[in-house]
Amino acid sequence: MKKTILRSNNFLFLAIASILFLSSFPANAEKFEFKYNEGETYRILSTVNEDVLVNGNLHHKAEIINRISVKVTNVDSNGAGVHEAHFMTSEKSVGNGSNALYTWGEEYESKFSRSKNGVYTISDEYFMPVVRDVPVFPDRDLKIGDTWSYEGHEAHDLRGSFGVFTPFKVPFTANYAYYGDTEKDGVKYQIIKANYRLYYDSPKPANPNVEYPASTQGFSDQTILWDNEKGMIRSYSERFRIQIETNFGDIFVFKGRATAEVTDIASVKNAETIAKVKEQISELGIENTDVKANDKGITISIENIQFKADSAILQASEQAKLKKISEILKAFPDNDLLVVGHTALAGTPESCQALSEERANSVADYLVKQGTKDRKHIFTQGKGASEPIAPNTTANGMAKNRRVEITIMEQ
């Protein structure tokens, strides 16, 4: 059983607290509530480092990088905001024969309403975010040292693991405390501590011969950095442990730490930016390369990209090409990158898929070496030969299909 996004997609609005300290000065009571603005967009980038154990034995260690892009599409008269969110992830696992490369995880779409106090209203067709109703603020002013509690729940995607086709919900009571204020980069933030414990016995399924999560227990301890002026979470850090015991007696444990930060999304999908990137590619003499807009942002498509035969090792000519492209990409410091590998139709679907993933990783690693981005801001995905742009019946068509696409992400 693999956990992929079961953490840190956690809280759609939580992230990392770096240097935290309690204020030694008394503060006036303040009202804490979320403030939503119709049309605003932002990104949550989180990192989860976890150990996965099966029946007491380490199955693998994982570093999971999650990217969540959010748009507030409506704000009602009570201050509740309707959110449309896109979740994507990359994972690097070590153990159980894995190769310690970042591999593509899953993508989720979600739509929900959240009140100004922090309470979710979300349909069971959506599996994300995992942790809901955290934080929730009381409808009163808070001063340093105040505590409160509120009910919440985790909603896990167990379709692949146990065939549970609606979110698997585990209720909890979260306990909160306002610890004081801190300052970071000249901005005043409020420190909120939140923690909850889990213990939940699942209802028995209609077919008891099918394995299902019979009991769930664990804990989550978080430190939230809250921006009360803007009415939003700026960052969070979390320590967690979740244990699932099945009716067959198997025990799965997920434990580790998660951190995340909320940042603005820089808009790139406009005619002026696309024209500028095309002009730069032309001036730099980068051949077999096209630029286009899509639902995620602006994509630079490098056709006929050359690797050593049946490998993910870039030829020197392609390294020179990518070095030029990296200079273009450095002009977008606030946007994450998605590198997608494609192959021509040669070999089995499985071998094409594996090769496309390895080549996407190879290009991403080269961009990191050029200082384009750090690895946590570059996502990779392999598509094998599943999305051809030309017939695979000619050498020219196969060259077009053998491509790597680099997307400057807006969504």
Side-chain angles (χ1 to χ4, degrees):
M1 177 181 175
K2 212 169 184 181
K3 197 168 183 186
T4 59
I5 330 181
L6 294 187
R7 221 59 243 155
S8 131
N9 277 348
N10 263 357
F11 299 112
L12 186 52
F13 305 100
L14 297 183
I16 183 174
S18 44
I19 302 174
L20 299 176
F21 58 91
L22 296 180
S23 171
S24 58
F25 301 97
N28 294 327
E30 298 182 79
K31 186 72 173 291
F32 286 59
E33 59 185 25
F34 286 89
K35 300 173 184 175
Y36 309 115
N37 298 299
E38 186 172 332
E40 71 179 341
T41 59
Y42 52 93
R43 173 195 68 180
I44 301 104
L45 191 68
S46 69
T47 303
V48 182
N49 289 283
E50 73 175 6
D51 294 342
V52 179
L53 294 84
V54 179
N55 295 327
N57 299 310
L58 180 66
H59 184 269
H60 67 275
K61 291 178 176 286
E63 180 179 59
I64 305 165
I65 301 172
N66 300 292
R67 181 184 188 276
I68 310 152
S69 58
V70 185
K71 182 175 183 179
V72 179
T73 58
N74 184 58
V75 180
D76 68 19
S77 58
N78 295 317
V82 176
H83 300 72
E84 294 184 4
H86 179 80
F87 297 75
M88 57 192 297
T89 183
S90 285
E91 179 174 349
K92 181 172 69 174
S93 297
V94 179
N96 200 29
S98 60
N99 58 6
L101 290 174
Y102 283 94
T103 56
W104 183 254
E106 299 182 60
E107 290 189 80
Y108 291 85
E109 301 293 335
S110 187
K111 183 176 181 179
F112 55 87
S113 174
R114 194 172 192 185
S115 74
K116 63 182 180 181
N117 295 91
V119 179
Y120 281 83
T121 302
I122 181 170
S123 166
D124 275 351
E125 68 182 289
Y126 300 115
F127 289 86
M128 292 295 157
V130 170
V131 178
R132 301 168 183 182
D133 301 336
V134 175
V136 172
F137 296 112
D139 192 19
R140 59 182 171 84
D141 289 353
L142 296 172
K143 62 181 183 297
I144 295 173
D146 278 354
T147 61
W148 67 99
S149 299
Y150 203 88
E151 303 302 309
H153 68 274
E154 294 193 358
H156 295 283
D157 182 0
L158 300 185
R159 288 174 293 181
S161 303
F162 296 106
V164 179
F165 292 102
T166 57
F168 177 70
K169 297 178 181 179
V170 181
F172 58 76
T173 299
N175 300 303
Y176 301 94
Y178 174 22
Y179 265 62
D181 303 333
T182 186
E183 188 174 300
K184 182 180 178 183
D185 299 327
V187 179
K188 177 184 174 183
Y189 297 107
Q190 291 70 45
I191 303 166
I192 308 295
K193 298 278 189 176
N195 68 79
Y196 58 84
R197 301 295 179 263
L198 298 171
Y199 194 89
Y200 179 66
D201 289 325
S202 307
K204 291 184 178 180
N207 184 359
N209 297 319
V210 175
E211 189 171 28
Y212 72 95
S215 68
T216 305
Q217 57 184 304
F219 70 85
S220 173
D221 292 332
Q222 307 114 32
T223 299
I224 303 164
L225 210 59
W226 173 261
D227 185 337
N228 205 35
E229 181 178 347
K230 293 187 176 180
M232 66 181 298
I233 292 169
R234 181 54 66 186
S235 63
Y236 92 101
S237 62
E238 179 195 19
R239 185 172 63 93
F240 65 88
R241 185 184 189 277
I242 305 297
Q243 176 178 304
I244 296 175
E245 183 173 359
T246 75
N247 58 316
F248 289 176
D250 292 319
I251 298 176
F252 301 90
V253 174
F254 310 91
K255 62 179 182 178
R257 295 180 180 273
T259 62
E261 59 183 9
V262 181
T263 60
D264 295 331
I265 297 177
S267 177
V268 296
K269 199 165 53 177
N270 56 71
E272 182 181 351
T273 303
I274 295 170
K276 183 177 180 180
V277 173
K278 285 184 175 180
E279 182 181 356
Q280 289 174 306
I281 286 174
S282 177
E283 290 175 349
L284 291 170
I286 304 172
E287 299 179 345
N288 301 316
T289 303
D290 189 23
V291 182
K292 58 187 177 183
N294 58 28
D295 59 343
K296 284 187 171 66
I298 297 176
T299 295
I300 300 173
S301 181
I302 311 166
E303 297 174 6
N304 196 27
I305 188 165
Q306 299 294 308
F307 296 85
K308 292 185 179 180
D310 299 320
S311 80
I313 302 173
L314 283 160
Q315 297 280 16
S317 60
E318 305 311 292
Q319 291 184 17
K321 185 184 295 184
L322 285 170
K323 188 172 183 178
K324 294 177 181 178
I325 290 174
S326 73
E327 294 305 311
I328 298 173
L329 298 174
K330 287 177 184 177
F332 302 92
D334 298 324
N335 298 83
D336 300 323
L337 301 178
L338 172 63
V339 179
V340 181
H342 299 265
T343 67
L345 186 58
T348 66
E350 293 78 14
S351 66
C352 287
Q353 178 64 31
L355 187 59
S356 68
E357 291 175 3
E358 291 170 4
R359 288 178 171 178
N361 271 292
S362 180
V363 170
D365 289 340
Y366 186 80
L367 293 175
V368 171
K369 290 178 182 177
Q370 296 304 306
T372 313
K373 300 274 184 188
D374 64 45
R375 193 60 175 83
K376 294 181 180 181
H377 290 269
I378 303 180
F379 290 74
T380 59
Q381 185 178 23
K383 291 293 186 73
S386 65
E387 296 183 2
I389 57 174
N392 279 294
T393 53
T394 66
N396 184 56
M398 293 181 75
K400 286 181 174 293
N401 293 331
R402 188 173 55 248
R403 68 195 190 278
V404 168
E405 296 172 333
I406 303 172
T407 299
I408 305 164
M409 288 196 290
E410 178 175 305
Q411 183 182 10

